[in-house]
Amino acid sequence: MEREWWKVPFGTASRLAIVVGTVVPMLYHPELLAAAVWFSLITWLMLRTRNVWDCVVAHAITNLILGVYVVSHGGGAWQLM
């Protein structure tokens, strides 16, 4: 493990970091399978592009789509937020 973690280039990750970076955020989401898939895809995107803005844009688009879905269903899916 790198002592000066802030010097590690973005998009560089160990297997432990990939697992922890996927499992920990899953604990905060009600749909575990969907969260596992989504965080795995975002991790893949990070490793593939090595660009933090690609991950930010993907997150923003996902939240927008989810927000539109919840509002369009009369708020009946607020538990997904």
Side-chain angles (χ1 to χ4, degrees):
M1 185 174 295
E2 181 68 39
R3 286 189 170 269
E4 297 180 356
W5 57 267
W6 56 90
K7 293 183 179 179
V8 176
F10 185 79
T12 303
S14 67
R15 287 184 183 174
L16 177 62
I18 291 169
V19 170
V20 171
T22 299
V23 172
V24 170
M26 284 173 53
L27 301 176
Y28 297 100
H29 292 79
E31 299 291 333
L32 289 179
L33 180 59
V37 170
W38 191 86
F39 284 109
S40 296
L41 289 172
I42 291 300
T43 301
W44 173 83
L45 181 66
M46 176 200 67
L47 294 171
R48 174 93 168 127
T49 67
R50 298 183 187 271
N51 185 345
V52 68
W53 291 108
D54 291 339
C55 299
V56 170
V57 169
H59 195 194
I61 290 170
T62 303
N63 285 350
L64 175 67
I65 292 168
L66 183 58
V68 168
Y69 174 81
V70 168
V71 170
S72 69
H73 284 76
W78 283 109
Q79 72 277 7
L80 298 175
M81 297 298 283

